[in-house]
């Protein structure tokens, strides 16, 4: 069986196994798996409002998954997407409400600000990794909590002590009267187009540019890349910066689309950590990440309907997601089984 076929089958098998074991958990817990999954489906597609909210939920997962996947593809572990997302969220919200500009300038400026601040937040662990050899996992995890503890004072500083920023001006908002009208006033916004563009950009950088080839080469083997004349330190920093920019864009989608502001936080939002699972399930491929984000966003939003319609707790959805991650992380075992099945068929022939 070809590696391309396996890359296609492993995530699908992981999802199926996760749903099967999720059904078993529901049954053992005394809930109807059929009613539970019907409620989940209705929560995703049951109404135009639910569908709009599902799309809205998917958008930041696309960028979070791309951020993690880009770092993984270049040999780095960016566990700091959460912090980069928060800082990008703040930057987009601030530019969105603090300035009054024409939409053609204001909206791109707010999005760019989020990407730049996210990139800057990722630059710190990148430069420490490149210059001092400090492991990026340790630094990025700490940077998450630095971002969390910094965001509330930043919000207070720009709002004279308030716990949330004012709403961004319409010229910086991704919301649309048209999208709201066709989705029964959901929070669906134009960010889904930017997410698709993000997928294309990551694919183009990694697969169609010399710099992308260098980034992947450094990730595969730093010593061989250096021997070939590549600037290893520069590529390590650049990889983290690009990854951080994707994470910052995830924050921009929340600031300019979903909430139109940023409020004081007492805990990490969790989107960045879920991005790790999205990247893993998507095999660190841009298109794979896109479909994995659709799955995660759908489960997250659809799960809200499970307690109301089927009496199934939201925790069951978390268990299903965790089981999918478990099987995705055990992809080697699934690949091994597929390889043996392929060999068995050849022997029979």
């Amino acid at each position: 069986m070809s590696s391309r076929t396996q890359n296609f089958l492993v995530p699908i098998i992981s999802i199926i196994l996760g749903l099967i074991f999720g059904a078993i958990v529901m049954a053992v817990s005394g809930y109807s798996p059929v009613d539970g999954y019907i409620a989940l489906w209705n929560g995703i597609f049951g109404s135009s409002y639910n569908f709009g909210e599902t799309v809205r939920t998917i958008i930041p997962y696309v960028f979070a998954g791309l951020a993690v996947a880009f770092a993984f593809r270049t040999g780095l572990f960016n566990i700091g997407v959460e912090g980069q997302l928060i800082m990008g969220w703040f930057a987009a919200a601030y530019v969105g409400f603090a300035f009054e500009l024409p939409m053609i300038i204001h909206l791109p400026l707010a999005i760019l600000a989020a990407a730049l601040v996210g990139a800057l937040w990722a630059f710190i662990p990148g430069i420490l990794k490149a210059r001092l050899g400090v492991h990026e996992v340790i630094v990025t995890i700490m940077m998450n909590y630095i971002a969390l503890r910094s965001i509330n004072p930043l919000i207070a500083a720009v709002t004279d002590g308030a716990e949330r920023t004012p709403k961004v001006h319409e010229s910086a908002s991704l919301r649309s009267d048209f999208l709201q009208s066709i989705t029964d006033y959901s929070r669906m916004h134009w960010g889904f187009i930017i997410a698709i563009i993000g997928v294309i950009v990551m694919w183009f950088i990694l697969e169609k540019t010399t710099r992308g080839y260098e980034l992947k080469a450094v990730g595969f083997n730093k010593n061989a890349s250096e021997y070939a004349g590549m600037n290893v330190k520069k590529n390590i920093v650049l990889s983290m910066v690009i990854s951080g920019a994707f994470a910052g864009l995830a924050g921009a989608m929340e600031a300019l689309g979903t909430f139109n502001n940023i409020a004081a936080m007492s805990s990490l939002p969790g989107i960045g950590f879920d991005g790790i699972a999205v990247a893993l399930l998507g095999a660190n491929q841009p298109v794979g990440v896109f479909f994995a984000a659709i799955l995660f966003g759908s489960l997250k939003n659809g799960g809200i309907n499970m307690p109301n319609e089927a009496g199934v707790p939201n925790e069951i959805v978390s268990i299903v997601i965790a089981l999918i991650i478990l099987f995705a992380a055990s992809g080697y075992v699934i690949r091994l089984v597929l390889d043996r099945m392929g060999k068995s068929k050849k022997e029979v022939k």
Side-chain angles (χ1 to χ4, degrees):
M1 186 177 294
S2 67
S3 59
R4 180 172 295 182
T5 303
Q6 286 189 356
N7 288 337
F8 175 75
L9 287 177
V10 168
I12 293 177
I13 294 173
S14 300
I15 293 168
I16 293 173
L17 289 174
L19 292 173
I20 290 172
F21 279 86
I24 293 173
V25 170
M26 279 191 275
V28 170
S29 303
Y31 303 102
S32 168
V34 175
D35 291 344
Y37 284 136
I38 289 175
L40 180 66
W41 176 268
N42 290 337
I44 301 169
F45 301 110
S47 68
S48 59
Y49 176 84
N50 288 345
F51 178 75
E53 284 295 301
T54 298
V55 173
R56 185 272 304 171
T57 306
I58 290 167
I59 295 169
Y61 282 123
V62 173
F63 284 109
L66 291 176
V68 176
F70 192 93
F72 279 170
R73 289 288 299 277
T74 54
L76 296 169
F77 297 92
N78 184 7
I79 314 300
V81 171
E82 197 84 347
Q84 295 147 22
L85 180 152
I86 291 173
M87 300 310 292
W89 189 338
F90 172 79
Y94 177 74
V95 172
F97 83 82
F99 301 96
E100 292 189 39
L101 299 165
M103 189 172 196
I104 194 172
I105 298 174
H106 202 180
L107 180 56
L109 182 63
I111 294 172
L112 181 61
L116 288 175
V117 172
L120 179 62
W121 206 251
F123 171 82
I124 299 171
I127 197 70
L128 289 174
K129 170 80 171 182
R131 296 295 181 184
L132 302 176
V134 181
H135 204 291
E136 70 276 9
V137 170
I138 297 172
V139 180
T140 51
I141 289 175
M142 291 191 296
M143 293 289 286
N144 285 337
Y145 291 95
I146 293 173
L148 176 64
R149 300 308 173 192
S150 301
I151 198 65
N152 292 354
L154 285 172
I155 293 171
V158 300
T159 59
D160 295 327
E163 293 188 351
R164 65 182 67 242
T165 62
K167 294 288 186 179
V168 302
H169 296 294
E170 286 189 16
S171 57
S173 177
L174 286 166
R175 290 191 181 181
S176 161
D177 291 337
F178 169 71
L179 292 177
Q180 288 184 344
S181 67
I182 64 174
T183 58
D184 197 19
Y185 298 97
S186 76
R187 290 175 292 175
M188 181 179 174
H189 54 82
W190 291 117
F192 72 89
I193 294 177
I194 302 174
I196 294 172
I197 293 172
V199 171
I200 296 171
V201 167
M202 176 175 164
W203 169 82
F204 183 80
I205 291 173
L206 290 178
E207 304 299 336
K208 298 297 179 180
T209 67
T210 303
R211 180 62 64 186
Y213 176 82
E214 286 191 14
L215 290 170
K216 290 187 293 183
V218 170
F220 281 127
N221 192 316
K222 293 181 178 62
N223 294 328
S225 299
E226 189 171 15
Y227 183 77
M230 299 178 191
N231 190 328
V232 172
K233 292 181 179 179
K234 177 181 177 181
N235 281 300
I236 288 174
V237 175
L238 182 59
S239 174
M240 286 299 295
V241 165
I242 295 174
S243 176
F246 278 123
L249 289 173
M253 298 302 102
E254 298 293 82
L256 307 177
T258 303
F259 298 102
N260 274 184
N261 67 354
I262 184 170
M265 298 182 183
S266 59
S267 62
L268 295 169
I271 297 172
F273 291 132
D274 285 342
I276 298 172
V278 170
L280 182 65
L281 188 60
N284 297 320
Q285 300 293 329
V287 176
V289 166
F290 180 74
F291 286 110
I294 290 175
L295 172 67
F296 268 69
S298 298
L299 289 174
K300 286 284 186 178
N301 191 66
I304 297 173
N305 190 51
M306 292 176 75
N308 300 328
E309 188 174 322
V312 180
N314 279 324
E315 287 75 11
I316 296 296
V317 181
S318 299
I319 292 173
V320 173
I321 294 174
L323 288 168
I324 292 172
I325 297 170
L326 173 64
F327 287 110
S330 306
Y332 174 77
V333 177
I334 298 175
R335 289 175 192 276
L336 186 64
V337 172
L338 291 175
D339 283 338
R340 290 188 175 181
M341 288 175 62
K343 289 179 181 178
S344 298
K345 288 182 179 179
K346 288 181 181 179
E347 291 175 359
V348 171
K349 292 181 179 179

